[in-house]
Amino acid sequence: MAAMVAKRSSVVAVRSLCRMYVLSSASPASSRLFRPGQALCAYSTTKHPFQGGNGTTEGDNGTSSPTGHLTMSSSSKQLSTADIKKIPDAEVRKSVFISQSNDVFTNLALEDWIYRNFDLTHHHILMLWINKPSVVIGRHQNPFSETNVSALARNGIELARRNSGGGAVYHDLGNLNCTFFMPRARYDRKYNLTLLTRALYREYGINAELSARDDIVLLGKKISGTAAKLGQPNAYHHCTLLVNSNKLHLGASLEKDNVEITSKATASIPSPIKNLVDVNRTVNIQQLLSAIGYEFLRTPATQLTDGGRELLMKQRGFQLINPTDKWFPGITELRENFASWDWRFGKTPNFSVQKTIQLKSTTAAHQQEMKVKVDVEKALIKEISLILPNHEPIPVVSDMVGRAYSEDCFHGIAEALKGASTENMQQAMGL
């Protein structure tokens, strides 16, 4: 870290030399080259920014997509782990993709598209993205165990399920998301996280650390959570960075319903959190985004050393990405899948919900408690049962069976049963 202090003052000069391209719905010929903090200056080209001087993609051993990206070929899929590890850092180029969408489902689709289609053998990618308020759960989680889904809907906050594991996180415009793409053989979570801490120190003098659980912590509080998708031949590792997130909304959005849920789904581990602005008021999303991007580009593919200006000039630079079908064919369909009820809720592992209610009675001495139990399969109500003390559960015939489960639905059932008296309930149950 000490060696980085002397270089902080020169970072702006280095940055001004790095390429930045805009990938939008406009024609590739209208790409523009600009320097951070300066007005746009026109740059005309008939080639896509990923293409070399002969109009083909640099290092092309595969197939170019309509965007010019190098997509996976049969030869790249057949490379062994040992072969990939033998590729020297000097042959690996890097790109920073900055998504221009703030829609959580679009960004998850873009992430998935890159993971499925890119040949990352000689090209590592960092995707930076920011979402409007949303709660994102892990692939194997139960949304009803992590948040109050009904309350989210009332507050206009999206609930999304990602393709990686891990716990639930809250996103808003004060939170920066980082996704590192690389071949599975080159997956190194600590490299990625250390790169982020180096960027924080170089730009702001913030000395963050890695926890035993691979979270980034600052003064004992979590500023970044992490998860990964490990496939073949590609992998990605993504994490959050709390910059200036609304902590009141974060806490409320991750507040669960006051019921007893029995589930085998992966549970989140709550941690105290901190925003970066809590320790340095000058931190802002756009400056941090730039700092992380430059740290990624100036760092060799596998070694945490500073390649400085020389390495920076060899990279593919920053690309502003407009995630549309024109550039990423099929991404709209991927987005629809991520936004679908079947993916967000239908993938929920089976669970049961219980709540104790107090039945009415003609005398206080005969007041009795009863449990309402709802069994849920694929997020649909499978069975409703009533449980009195020292008795077996008794099924309830209801038209609610087969409907989508929600907290509001469950409390509607419980409220309806509260109106029954102990005597009437025992008579109806044959007790």
Side-chain angles (χ1 to χ4, degrees):
M1 290 296 187
M4 296 170 64
V5 177
K7 297 181 181 180
R8 288 175 64 187
S9 61
S10 64
V11 72
V12 175
V14 173
R15 287 180 185 178
S16 66
L17 297 170
C18 190
R19 294 172 292 176
M20 183 175 286
Y21 298 97
V22 181
L23 302 191
S24 66
S25 56
S27 165
S30 65
S31 298
R32 293 180 179 269
L33 177 67
F34 65 98
R35 297 188 294 178
Q38 295 190 6
L40 290 174
C41 56
Y43 175 77
S44 296
T45 176
T46 57
K47 301 171 296 183
H48 189 276
F50 288 166
Q51 294 177 330
N54 60 357
T56 60
T57 308
E58 299 172 21
D60 193 357
N61 295 314
T63 304
S64 293
S65 72
T67 64
H69 307 329
L70 187 62
T71 53
M72 287 188 286
S73 65
S74 58
S75 60
S76 66
K77 293 179 182 179
Q78 292 171 3
L79 281 178
S80 68
T81 297
D83 288 337
I84 292 174
K85 287 185 175 181
K86 289 178 183 176
I87 298 172
D89 283 1
E91 294 182 12
V92 178
R93 293 293 176 262
K94 288 185 170 186
S95 295
V96 177
F97 287 2
I98 305 173
S99 174
Q100 298 303 283
S101 174
N102 296 131
D103 174 68
V104 62
F105 303 117
T106 299
N107 283 324
L108 289 173
L110 175 60
E111 190 177 57
D112 199 47
W113 197 101
I114 295 170
Y115 166 76
R116 291 170 181 240
N117 293 286
F118 265 61
D119 183 349
L120 301 171
T121 310
H122 295 83
H123 182 200
H124 294 186
I125 298 168
L126 169 61
M127 172 181 157
L128 300 173
W129 43 297
I130 302 167
N131 290 326
K132 290 181 289 188
S134 52
V135 170
V136 184
I137 62 171
R139 181 186 179 98
H140 308 293
Q141 289 199 292
N142 179 346
F144 304 101
S145 297
E146 304 299 329
T147 183
N148 188 316
V149 176
S150 298
L152 289 185
R154 285 193 293 271
N155 293 325
I157 298 174
E158 297 284 8
L159 186 282
R161 183 188 296 273
R162 61 180 182 268
N163 237 330
S164 63
V169 290
Y170 174 77
H171 291 180
D172 64 10
L173 299 178
N175 174 81
L176 178 62
N177 302 290
C178 311
T179 306
F180 297 86
F181 295 91
M182 72 293 293
R184 170 69 180 268
R186 283 281 172 89
Y187 177 79
D188 187 344
R189 182 179 294 196
K190 281 189 166 51
Y191 167 95
N192 301 331
L193 295 173
T194 303
L195 189 147
L196 294 178
T197 63
R198 286 163 63 95
L200 288 173
Y201 188 82
R202 187 189 301 275
E203 189 72 15
Y204 299 106
I206 294 175
N207 197 8
E209 301 174 333
L210 303 188
S211 73
R213 296 183 59 249
D214 286 339
D215 295 325
I216 300 179
V217 296
L218 183 58
L219 302 177
K221 293 188 177 181
K222 184 174 174 178
I223 60 171
S224 174
T226 194
K229 175 74 172 177
L230 305 179
Q232 286 294 350
N234 291 341
Y236 65 77
H237 164 226
H238 50 194
C239 56
T240 58
L241 268 176
L242 292 171
V243 181
N244 191 21
S245 192
N246 188 315
K247 289 191 281 189
L248 289 177
H249 291 174
L250 185 155
S253 297
L254 296 178
E255 185 175 340
K256 296 171 279 190
D257 193 23
N258 186 26
V259 294
E260 179 185 343
I261 295 181
T262 304
S263 173
K264 293 183 178 180
T266 302
S268 298
I269 301 175
S271 302
I273 60 164
K274 183 180 287 290
N275 276 319
L276 288 169
V277 295
D278 294 338
V279 295
N280 187 329
R281 292 185 180 181
T282 67
V283 181
N284 64 80
I285 285 276
Q286 293 305 319
Q287 184 182 2
L288 178 62
L289 181 150
S290 177
I292 291 172
Y294 281 104
E295 193 70 35
F296 178 74
L297 294 174
R298 66 191 291 160
T299 306
T302 62
Q303 301 297 318
L304 285 166
T305 56
D306 187 2
R309 172 180 172 178
E310 182 180 354
L311 180 58
L312 196 63
M313 291 305 298
K314 294 178 181 178
Q315 307 292 19
R316 296 182 176 181
F318 289 73
Q319 285 87 41
L320 303 183
I321 303 294
N322 186 3
T324 63
D325 280 320
K326 178 171 182 176
W327 295 101
F328 304 91
I331 195 171
T332 297
E333 183 178 353
L334 281 176
R335 186 206 176 277
E336 290 172 355
N337 290 338
F338 275 107
S340 69
W341 187 93
D342 285 344
W343 172 254
R344 295 189 297 151
F345 301 105
K347 293 293 184 182
T348 302
N350 298 346
F351 66 101
S352 64
V353 189
Q354 290 189 157
K355 186 176 178 68
T356 300
I357 61 174
Q358 192 83 33
L359 296 175
K360 292 181 179 179
S361 178
T362 53
T363 60
H366 288 89
Q367 282 189 340
Q368 193 168 20
E369 289 185 343
M370 177 183 71
K371 283 189 175 181
V372 182
K373 181 184 179 185
V374 174
D375 294 314
V376 184
E377 186 175 298
K378 295 182 179 178
L380 299 174
I381 296 175
K382 183 181 179 183
E383 186 175 53
I384 303 171
S385 305
L386 303 179
I387 306 173
L388 285 170
N390 304 316
H391 291 84
E392 291 295 316
I394 299 175
V396 174
V397 177
S398 171
D399 62 359
M400 299 300 294
V401 173
R403 295 189 184 184
Y405 174 83
S406 71
E407 295 88 353
D408 289 351
C409 178
F410 178 83
H411 288 294
I413 296 170
E415 286 299 319
L417 291 170
K418 278 184 180 179
S421 67
T422 302
E423 294 79 9
N424 289 343
M425 190 61 68
Q426 287 178 331
Q427 183 178 2
M429 297 169 69
L431 301 176

